[in-house]
Amino acid sequence: MKALVLAGGSGTRLRPFSYSMPKQLIPIANTPVLVHVLKGVRDLGVTDVGVIVGNRGPEIEAVLGDGSRFGLRITCIPQDVPGGLAHTVSLARGFLGDDDFVMYLGDNMLPDGVVGIAEEFARHRPAAQVVVCKVPDPRSFGVAELGPGGEVLRLVEKPEQPRSDLALIGVYFFTSAIHEAVAAIEPSARGELEITDAVQWLVSSGADVRAGRYDGYWKDTGQVEDVLECNSRLLDGLSRRVDGRVDTGSVLVGKVVVEEGARVLRSRIEGPVIIGAGTVVEESHIGPYTSIGRDCLVTGSRLEGSIALDEASVTGVHGLRDSLIGRAASVGTTVRGTDHHCLVVGDHTRVEVAA
């Protein structure tokens, strides 16, 4: 089985970050979302991966390389203009051949994995197997209506009156039957070839289409709030590790990772927290659920529940919570004001907040 990972989306909901970096490279627990996805693919026993890239392709290729450091063989496949998920299948036809494959959205986090569903697909080999998850309000999703044996009876995109609470969550298993379906469908009202239409074509043609239910944690990292929530979820799984320098005037509490080359000086770190390589934390208090990237500087500050991307600096700021600070951004202080701040700061910017 091969994999097709989709990393061509523009990420308009993650602006201003997606102006300067692909949304799939936003770090969760100091690892890009796309790398988390690729590790999930590798856990399925898949090593041959095609990655669909858009106009930010060179940035993604620079991070992934040939895939060898992840134990994968990666082939990047360009998509010049967005044409829908089914369009990516047609673009990847030469790479996929007639092999079975898993298609995986490159900004979806499923940390509990879909190994069981992959094994079910391999045993029964339906023409397609969609991965679904129960959601409280299905109206914003593609929805699968199932028969008593788990077979898919119908797929409905964003129904006003859902007849099911099982949402499609961006992972699909396919045999080569999907290629005939993609060739048979027409663009939707928004001008794109929809994968739900292709799967529905298989259903309507009498093919065996099944659903595998995912009951673990799932998050589409499309908005800042989603990124912060997912970061907290993954940090809960940390194991304490201190490879950098922590002086005798500092205190580490709980699950804290200090990567090699990082320095913690006269500071208190309350986990779960990860501090990236080359970062300096000095005379600061880092609260739970915080990720600090590589080569950052945090001095005389207090952060909690936040993410600072590589090379960011935070100086003299107390009560910084639920914030996402971009690469090489600088957050400093000005006149006295409120006792806490919530920031969304893009790359290469400077912000001053009340001291």
Side-chain angles (χ1 to χ4, degrees), residues 213-268:
R213 180 161 168 171
Y214 176 79
D215 293 319
Y217 178 84
W218 163 58
K219 183 60 66 175
D220 170 3
T221 56
Q223 301 185 73
V224 169
E225 296 80 5
D226 301 323
V227 169
L228 291 170
E229 179 193 316
C230 194
N231 189 66
S232 296
R233 173 63 169 73
L234 265 63
L235 288 179
D236 268 330
L238 284 182
S239 297
R240 185 182 174 105
R241 175 170 53 87
V242 180
D243 295 327
R245 174 190 166 195
V246 179
D247 73 359
T248 56
S250 296
V251 177
L252 307 187
V253 179
K255 295 183 285 188
V256 176
V257 171
V258 182
E259 295 185 342
E260 186 175 356
R263 291 183 292 153
V264 178
L265 310 171
R266 301 179 301 282
S267 297
R268 180 178 178 87

Side-chain angles (χ1 to χ4, degrees), residues 25-247:
L25 297 186
I26 290 283
I28 305 290
N30 279 13
T31 297
V33 171
L34 184 56
V35 174
H36 285 292
V37 168
L38 291 173
K39 289 179 178 178
V41 167
R42 186 187 60 199
D43 289 344
L44 302 180
V46 176
T47 56
D48 210 358
V49 182
V51 179
I52 298 290
V53 296
N55 60 0
R56 311 302 285 273
E59 295 169 78
I60 290 175
E61 292 178 42
V63 171
L64 302 185
D66 63 1
S68 56
R69 70 188 183 97
F70 309 113
L72 302 170
R73 294 186 300 273
I74 290 178
T75 301
C76 287
I77 303 167
Q79 183 184 35
D80 295 334
V81 293
L85 302 189
H87 178 241
T88 68
V89 175
S90 62
L91 285 177
R93 185 69 171 94
F95 166 78
L96 295 168
D98 290 326
D99 293 325
D100 296 350
F101 67 98
V102 56
M103 187 168 81
Y104 208 126
L105 299 190
D107 55 359
N108 264 14
M109 292 289 294
L110 290 82
D112 298 305
V114 292
V115 172
I117 298 173
E119 292 172 346
E120 183 182 337
F121 171 76
R123 281 196 303 271
H124 302 290
R125 289 197 72 243
Q129 183 152 338
V130 299
V131 178
V132 297
C133 183
K134 188 174 182 178
V135 296
D137 185 0
R139 291 175 297 176
S140 299
F141 301 93
V143 173
E145 299 175 9
L146 307 184
E151 69 275 18
V152 175
L153 302 178
R154 189 167 70 132
L155 298 178
V156 183
E157 189 66 30
K158 298 180 181 178
E160 291 186 8
Q161 296 182 322
R163 297 169 61 181
S164 164
D165 58 3
L166 296 175
L168 303 175
I169 60 173
V171 181
Y172 309 81
F173 293 88
F174 293 121
T175 67
S176 60
I178 192 63
H179 298 298
E180 182 182 4
V182 169
I185 63 173
E186 298 291 333
S188 66
R190 61 177 183 167
E192 297 187 354
L193 293 175
E194 311 287 355
I195 199 67
T196 50
D197 289 346
V199 177
Q200 181 61 50
W201 187 91
L202 289 172
V203 172
S204 300
S205 299
D208 184 17
V209 177
R210 299 195 161 267
R213 180 161 168 171
Y214 176 79
D215 293 319
Y217 178 84
W218 163 58
K219 183 60 66 175
D220 170 3
T221 56
Q223 301 185 73
V224 169
E225 296 80 5
D226 301 323
V227 169
L228 291 170
E229 179 193 316
C230 194
N231 189 66
S232 296
R233 173 63 169 73
L234 265 63
L235 288 179
D236 268 330
L238 284 182
S239 297
R240 185 182 174 105
R241 175 170 53 87
V242 180
D243 295 327
R245 174 190 166 195
V246 179
D247 73 359

Side-chain angles (χ1 to χ4, degrees), residues 27 29-31 259 262 274-281 290-298 306-312 325:
N30 279 13
T31 297
E259 295 185 342
I274 183 168
I275 299 173
T279 285
V280 176
V281 177
T290 299
S291 295
I292 301 175
R294 301 169 64 93
D295 300 316
C296 296
L297 173 64
V298 180
S306 298
I307 300 173
L309 276 63
D310 294 351
E311 301 181 20
I325 302 168

